[in-house]
Amino acid sequence: MIESLATALPHFRNTNSGQFFLMAGPCVIEGEDMALRIAEKVKHMTDKLQIPYIFKGSYRKANRSRLDSFTGIGDETALRILQKVGREIGVPTVTDIHESDEAALAAEYVDVLQIPAFLCRQTDLLIAAAKTGKVVNVKKGQFLNGESMQFAVDKIKQSGNEHVILTDRGNSFGYSDLVVDFRNLPAMRSFGVPVVMDVTHSLQRPNQASGVTGGQPALIETIAKAAIAVGADGLFIETHPTPATAKSDGANMLALDQLEALLVKLTRVREAVR
């Protein structure tokens, strides 16, 4: 799948359908049945709307507030599930990596390696991801502006990999909130790479006293519409059949049964601004 995806990166920036592309799935892989069910349903929606789709699922969550927070079902177990989703549903897959030695392992199973926002300046991690030859999606740090992400792009390209995506996920606002500065999207698009808006993580309320991150899912539609209106090439949306029971980031997820209606609205926004 990777060869076709890497070749298709210009296509993802300006798709033949005229639509944005979508990265969507659960925050973390909780089990095979759920992952396949989510991927199948989202693929059905996106096929109808001619939206290119990449299935998203973290094989492990390394950035947790509390020691007792759920981190995953086992690395290779989750990675094999991601591989099965890609093969059975027929979609590219993306997962996070956190340390340099994870890059080669994850690259055996998925098509896109994702660099978490807190780690976007970690040179060794970016180089290791680049050297796999996989597409590398780098999330912009909450502490950076869009212009600063040029250096992340340079690190990957100068390591011999031209297949880069940049994703915005908001900026820190005080200690326990995030805001989205939409100036970051055109700034990052100027580097000649596809740019994605991580809608759901941008609505997090981090650093809560409970040790569990909060969120504002009621604003998912607002952020998504605005991102498409200012020219985002893709959207990143975490979705789950029952966000209240999700084992990670349920507070800012979109319920799976609400996704199609949102995508219909967003395709209309895209058509209006083209």
Side-chain angles (χ1 to χ4, degrees):
M1 187 76 69
I2 181 60
E3 290 80 10
S4 60
L5 179 61
T7 303
L9 269 181
H11 167 82
F12 274 79
R13 173 142 195 189
N14 184 17
T15 66
N16 292 334
S17 68
Q19 289 301 339
F20 54 91
F21 66 93
L22 177 69
M23 294 181 176
C27 178
V28 62
I29 298 297
E30 299 178 8
E32 181 177 304
D33 290 345
M34 178 179 289
L36 288 167
R37 179 157 49 104
I38 292 173
E40 184 176 24
K41 288 188 175 181
V42 179
K43 179 69 160 53
H44 180 68
M45 301 173 195
T46 53
D47 280 353
K48 285 197 298 183
L49 297 169
Q50 294 186 287
I51 297 171
Y53 173 44
I54 303 172
F55 175 81
K56 181 271 165 188
S58 296
Y59 74 90
R60 171 159 46 90
K61 301 301 293 183
N63 176 22
R64 302 285 83 190
S65 297
R66 294 177 5 183
L67 186 60
D68 62 352
S69 296
F70 178 78
T71 58
I73 59 175
D75 291 359
E76 293 210 29
T77 298
L79 285 167
R80 282 193 291 268
I81 290 171
L82 282 160
Q83 185 179 59
K84 186 171 184 177
V85 167
R87 288 175 174 172
E88 292 199 2
I89 308 301
V91 294
T93 55
V94 56
T95 199
D96 309 84
I97 59 171
H98 316 91
E99 297 185 25
S100 301
D101 59 3
E102 296 177 32
L105 172 64
E108 295 179 19
Y109 297 91
V110 301
D111 303 293
V112 183
L113 299 179
Q114 183 166 278
I115 309 300
F118 283 133
L119 303 177
C120 69
R121 290 178 52 127
Q122 297 297 102
T123 300
D124 289 349
L125 179 60
L126 292 171
I127 292 172
K131 288 188 178 299
T132 66
K134 298 291 184 175
V135 176
V136 183
N137 178 35
V138 188
K139 288 194 174 182
K140 182 187 72 61
Q142 302 93 320
F143 44 87
L144 294 175
N145 61 18
E147 288 83 355
S148 300
M149 292 302 290
Q150 175 71 67
F151 303 109
V153 174
D154 290 345
K155 288 175 183 178
I156 295 167
K157 290 189 174 183
Q158 290 169 15
S159 298
N161 188 334
E162 294 289 321
H163 310 306
V164 188
I165 299 172
L166 293 179
T167 295
D168 191 9
R169 51 99 75 232
N171 283 84
S172 296
F173 185 73
Y175 292 115
S176 302
D177 204 359
L178 297 170
V179 295
V180 178
D181 182 349
F182 285 101
R183 295 176 297 179
N184 288 324
L185 297 182
M188 294 192 297
R189 280 189 106 237
S190 71
F191 308 146
V193 300
V195 171
V196 174
M197 184 74 233
D198 181 343
V199 178
T200 47
H201 285 109
S202 297
L203 292 168
Q204 285 183 329
R205 289 281 180 86
N207 305 319
Q208 298 300 304
S210 65
V212 178
T213 298
Q216 296 178 292
L219 292 175
I220 288 172
E221 181 174 327
T222 300
I223 298 297
K225 284 179 175 177
I228 294 300
V230 299
D233 300 294
L235 296 177
F236 180 109
I237 298 175
E238 288 190 338
T239 184
H240 192 281
T242 53
T245 65
K247 295 184 177 181
S248 178
D249 281 1
N252 52 271
M253 277 190 187
L254 181 69
L256 184 59
D257 63 5
Q258 297 176 18
L259 179 59
E260 184 169 4
L262 174 62
L263 292 177
V264 169
K265 293 178 182 178
L266 295 174
T267 60
R268 292 171 180 166
V269 175
R270 177 69 171 226
E271 291 164 0
V273 298
R274 282 179 62 197

